[in-house]
Amino acid sequence: MKRLALVVGLLGALSERSARAQTAPPAVVVLDYSAPAGCPDANGFRQQVLGRTQRVSFAEPGAARTIVWQVDIAATSGGSQGTLRVTDAQPSTLERSVKATSCEQVVDALALVASLSVDPEASLAPRAQPKPAPATAPQTVPATSPATAPPPRRPRSESVSATRLSLGLTLTGRAGIAPQLAWAPRLSLGLSFRSLSGHAWGLALSATQVRGNAALDIGQADFTWSLARLELFPVRATYGHWRLEPAAFVEGGQLRARGIAVSPAAEVRRPALWVGALGRLSFLAFDLLWFALEAGASASLLRDRFYLFENATIFRVPAIAGYAGAGVGLEFL
C-alpha cells in the first residue's frame, strides 16, 4: 500500500515526461550515484531500473544527448533518505525525495521514480532478467578513429556525518541544592552527529536556576543556584524509536545565599562547580518529537558551609548529590 501511495503521488509530476517517453526512442542515461556502505551500489540501482523498463540505456559520463540521473542516499536517525534529480537537454529538472526505514526501500522507490520518468508503462516491481550488457555511448568521433570512453568519474565525496539539532525543556528534581529536594526547569540545546558507519555521539548545552531554603530555630536562609551545563555523550544506542544515551557533564555557575530573619542580615555569592554522569532514555516520535527520562549524580568541587552563627550550620554543600528529570523537545534535520 505504501508503494501504491507513492506511485499515485508521483504520476502527476511525471505526466509531461511520460507523454514524451511513449514515442521517444530508448533514453540514454548517465547515472551519478552516491550511497553509504551497506546500501545497494550503482549496479544494483541499474538492475532495479532495467527490471522495470527496457526504454533506458545506461552510458558512461560525458556521452552526448544523455539524461543525467543524480541519486544521493544518506543515513538518518530514523533510517535512510534519498533524492533523485533528473536533468536533460530540456530546460527542466525533476527532483524527488524519499525517506524509509531501510536503504533498500529508498533505492527501490527511487528506481521506480526514475523508470516512470522515461517510461509511463514501467513495471511497479522489477522483473527478473539476465544481467544486461554495458551500454555503449553514441559514436561521436570519425569512423576512422577508435572511440575512447572517457575515464569514469569518481563518486562525489559525501559528508562523513549526519547532524541533528535538538531543543528541549526538562523538569528536574535535585538534591544538594538545599536540605530538601529542589525542582526547576532546564532549557537545553544539543547537537548530535552520526557517522556513515552508524556511530552516533553528541553534546548539549543547558542552563537552569534552582532555588531552595533551609531553616533553624534561630533563622533561615535562601539559596539560588544559577548554573550552566555542558554534556557529552560518546555513544547513542538506538532500538527502533528508543534511544539510550550515557553522558558525562561539567556544570558551573554561581550560588547566592541570603540570610532571612537574622541580625545582622547578610548575603554571599560563591562560585559553584560540579562534575557528574547521567543516563537518558528517550523516545522519538514522528522523527521530530522526543520524550525523555534521565537520572544521574554529580560531585561538587567547591564544598561551602553556610551558617547563621559559627556553631549553627544551616547548610553545607554535599560531596555527591543526585537528580532525576523528565523532558520533552524537538529534533531537526
Side-chain angles (χ1 to χ4, degrees):
M1 294 299 293
K2 292 183 178 178
R3 178 179 295 173
L4 179 59
L6 174 63
V7 173
V8 172
L10 293 170
L11 284 178
L14 297 172
S15 59
E16 180 180 352
R17 293 176 180 266
S18 299
R20 298 198 305 265
Q22 290 178 347
T23 57
V28 179
V29 174
V30 169
L31 178 62
D32 183 2
Y33 187 87
S34 177
C39 290
D41 58 11
N43 187 57
F45 183 86
R46 294 187 186 97
Q47 295 294 331
Q48 288 271 4
V49 173
L50 294 175
R52 291 180 167 89
T53 177
Q54 298 300 313
R55 299 188 61 83
V56 62
S57 176
F58 288 100
E60 295 292 341
R65 301 185 301 278
T66 57
I67 299 172
V68 177
W69 289 353
Q70 182 179 340
V71 179
D72 293 291
I73 300 174
T76 67
S77 63
S80 295
Q81 178 174 344
T83 301
L84 167 69
R85 297 178 183 87
V86 180
T87 57
D88 55 25
Q90 302 296 327
S92 63
T93 300
L94 169 68
E95 180 171 332
R96 287 293 177 270
S97 295
V98 176
K99 295 181 68 176
T101 56
S102 72
C103 192
E104 289 76 9
Q105 292 174 329
V106 172
V107 171
D108 181 73
L110 293 181
L112 174 59
V113 178
S115 301
L116 289 172
S117 71
V118 297
D119 183 3
E121 299 179 357
S123 173
L124 298 185
R127 296 180 292 266
Q129 66 170 29
K131 184 177 180 180
T136 302
Q139 187 76 10
T140 58
V141 296
T144 57
S145 301
T148 57
R153 184 168 55 180
R154 299 180 65 181
R156 298 182 302 107
S157 60
E158 190 171 15
S159 174
V160 297
S161 64
T163 305
R164 296 179 70 88
L165 174 68
S166 176
L167 300 175
L169 177 63
T170 303
L171 179 64
T172 58
R174 299 184 55 145
I177 300 300
Q180 73 280 359
L181 194 66
W183 294 89
R186 190 177 80 249
L187 293 172
S188 63
L189 171 66
L191 283 174
S192 63
F193 309 93
R194 180 173 179 174
S195 68
L196 296 179
S197 63
H199 176 257
W201 65 281
L203 51 86
L205 183 65
S206 60
T208 186
Q209 188 173 76
V210 193
R211 292 184 172 87
N213 58 75
L216 295 175
D217 292 338
I218 58 176
Q220 68 181 54
D222 286 344
F223 301 95
T224 302
W225 301 73
S226 301
L227 302 171
R229 174 190 294 183
L230 177 64
E231 296 178 12
L232 172 65
F233 63 90
V235 65
R236 169 188 286 167
T238 303
Y239 307 94
H241 293 282
W242 292 94
R243 301 187 305 201
L244 179 62
E245 300 168 350
F249 66 84
V250 59
E251 191 172 39
Q254 183 187 73
L255 165 60
R256 180 173 68 90
R258 183 169 62 94
I260 299 176
V262 294
S263 182
E267 177 177 306
V268 295
R269 297 175 184 266
R270 297 286 297 161
L273 185 61
W274 302 76
V275 293
L278 63 89
R280 180 180 296 113
L281 178 65
S282 58
F283 178 83
L284 183 63
F286 312 111
D287 204 27
L288 176 68
L289 182 67
W290 57 261
F291 305 89
L293 296 174
E294 62 183 46
S298 56
S300 176
L301 302 183
L302 301 173
R303 296 189 62 199
D304 290 314
R305 181 175 72 93
F306 299 91
Y307 55 87
L308 300 177
F309 298 100
E310 181 63 30
N311 60 349
T313 299
I314 192 168
F315 177 66
R316 186 179 183 187
V317 177
I320 298 178
Y323 88 97
V328 64
L330 296 174
E331 190 168 279
F332 307 90
L333 286 176

